[in-house]
Amino acid sequence: MGLVWALYALSLSAVQAIKLTLLALPAWLLLGRWRAHTTAGRWMCRSVLALWAAAFVADAVVRAYLWWAYGSAPDSAKMLMAVANTAAQESAEYLEHAKIRLLACGLLAVVAWVALLWAAPRALAAGARPWHGLGNRSSPRWHLVQQGCWLLLILLVLVAYASKPWRRLHPMIWWPAWSVSVAETRATWQDWERQRDAWLSAAQASGVGKRSDAPHTVMLVITDSVNRDNLSLYGYARPTTPLLAQQQAQLSVMRYVWSVAANTLMTIPSMLRLQASRNPTELAVNAQPPAAQDVLALARAAGYEVHWISNHDDLAIQQRHGALAQEQAYPNHTPGRASKSLDEVVLPYVEQALARPAKHKLLVVHLLGAHPHYSARFPETFEKFGDNDAVAQQLREQARWPWIRHLRHDYDTSLRYHDQVLSRLLALTQAQALRGSAVWVMVSDHGQEVGHERNHAGHSAGTVAGYRIPLVVWRDSGPWPEQVTHQPVRGDWLGMSLVALLGLEWSGYDPSRDVFNPQYRWQPPDLPVAVPDFLK
């Protein structure tokens, strides 16, 4: 177990390494303790063990190699796109180029494989014998302890295989699924390119332009999984946004903002794509040009230099939205919840983009925010909220389970760290106002349920907490009056407000869906959950 864990710990977190170690145990638990009575039976047992061990060793070593060489997981967008775009000749050239590193990893795999095949049968045989050095009277007790340890181990293995997220990590399941992802990436490549060309062509054909007073710098910060109810900027009891609160008098904090979906793949398109007509009906997420337009494509067609800087490793978002920008940066190469990339990694790329000579720039900064796992969204040394304040007491009174309370502490701590990154991004935008007008917008894609309405932590399409999001705007000309900031806002209408904030002259602009326009007319969205009052 220690050897398997150590191999996976070379590239994965300790928890993920434990999961794969438990998945690796059944062959030894079942076959390693079985004593075949025939030569053929013994060879079959050894062959199965050898193949089983080879699968896990190869999986661990390949992951370690990719992490050492590229800092990437094999299912990262970077790796999937690289493999999908590699021909047989390029593969042969790569093998020649990296042969020393590959041979070293191959040697590591062989040594680990032999060590497993040598050590495991001996360890299992030793486990079957009475423990040495124990008196006769204590032997039965220790025998029970030993059997209890075996039963606990078997129970953990059963849990690992019963859990779908754990089971999917098994090499014999994970790598076939990975090969399908590569094939799908290759198959959809041309479709993605065709869609991007269609958005850009539709924007060019729309005749969009810039007003003379269009801002020189617009930064749109799209964060992830932030519930506005957990921000002290919105009145939360814990100081989760102390730095932004210092500038509250300069900010337009929109009080009642609602996402129209509880997942990123639905909300990002709803925020960045909009109908080219003045029809205020719902816009389907999968709408296509010329019936719809994309904010990034419109900005680019109007003369903005568009940058997409993301701490997400999400192939779909990158190809459908990020690739519309002239400049892109993706410093995170670990997809999903396993990623421990802190949002501060985007700051150098933002500074580089702002230093470019283009007169008009639009920067879209896509952050991980408070995306689960919450504990991975702040440094390990960061001071955490504890179980001894008013929020914790309220959670206890609401009968929230102890682990839900613990996750709320982690969630709120991630927001306080997130406040530091947001404040830095705001400061960088404000510095640009010395060279020309500037606008800064922060919005979350969707909310998060962390013991707000029930004993649940994570994405939640079934509770109101999954849709409550923040929207904060700064502009060098000053904040909007209170009557504007107290109007309810829909996330899928944000695109119209962005068109106005960018100073775009576009025939499809609908002021009734722009919350900053006097002609704004609120219409409640059709959410999957009942919302008694959109002004709360």
Side-chain angles (χ1 to χ4, degrees), residues 252 254-255 480-489 515-517:
S252 296
M254 310 305 291
R255 309 309 303 183
W480 280 274
E482 186 175 293
Q483 60 264 32
V484 173
T485 60
H486 280 67
Q487 295 184 106
V489 185
V515 69
F516 305 118
N517 191 292

Side-chain angles (χ1 to χ4, degrees), residues 228-238 241 248 255:
R228 55 182 156 90
D229 289 345
N230 291 70
L231 302 181
S232 52
L233 198 64
Y234 280 80
Y236 188 50
R238 281 175 169 167
T241 53
Q248 188 160 0
R255 309 309 303 183

Side-chain angles (χ1 to χ4, degrees), residues 16-44:
Q16 283 186 302
I18 290 173
K19 292 177 181 179
L20 280 155
T21 301
L22 292 171
L23 292 172
L25 282 179
W28 284 289
L29 290 175
L30 296 175
L31 298 176
R33 293 176 66 84
W34 174 54
R35 297 291 178 265
H37 298 294
T38 64
T39 301
R42 286 192 292 272
W43 274 106
M44 183 185 72

Side-chain angles (χ1 to χ4, degrees), residues 199 203 269 272-274 292-299 320-321 324:
W199 287 114
L272 296 181
R273 290 179 177 169
L274 59 171
Q293 292 285 356
D294 186 283
V295 174
L296 272 62
L298 287 173
R320 294 173 185 171
H321 301 286
L324 286 169

Side-chain angles (χ1 to χ4, degrees), residues 130-160:
W131 291 8
H132 297 292
L134 299 174
N136 291 332
R137 287 192 299 177
S138 62
S139 293
R141 180 188 303 169
W142 284 103
H143 178 73
L144 289 174
V145 172
Q146 186 183 19
Q147 294 302 314
C149 291
W150 275 109
L151 289 173
L152 177 61
L153 190 60
I154 291 171
L155 178 62
L156 290 172
V157 170
L158 291 174
V159 169

Side-chain angles (χ1 to χ4, degrees), residues 194-203 273 286-294:
R194 187 164 53 249
Q195 288 185 30
R196 291 195 297 270
D197 290 343
W199 287 114
L200 292 170
S201 297
R273 290 179 177 169
N286 59 356
Q288 299 294 322
Q293 292 285 356
D294 186 283

Side-chain angles (χ1 to χ4, degrees), residues 262 448-449 452-454 456 460-468 529:
Q448 197 83 168
E449 170 69 58
H452 295 87
E453 301 175 47
R454 59 190 179 94
H456 173 78
S460 178
T463 65
V464 174
Y467 304 88
R468 299 169 69 87
V529 296

Side-chain angles (χ1 to χ4, degrees), residues 359-406:
K359 183 178 180 181
H360 294 275
K361 292 189 285 286
L362 167 61
L363 281 70
V364 182
V365 185
H366 193 195
L367 302 178
L368 278 172
H371 189 279
H373 300 293
Y374 311 133
S375 59
R377 304 296 160 246
F378 55 87
E380 293 180 1
T381 57
F382 205 70
E383 184 180 358
K384 293 176 60 175
F385 289 107
D387 208 26
N388 54 358
D389 59 12
V391 171
Q393 178 61 31
Q394 182 184 38
L395 292 171
R396 284 192 291 269
E397 292 172 355
Q398 294 171 340
R400 298 296 181 249
W401 295 331
W403 55 90
I404 297 296
R405 299 201 306 269
H406 176 76

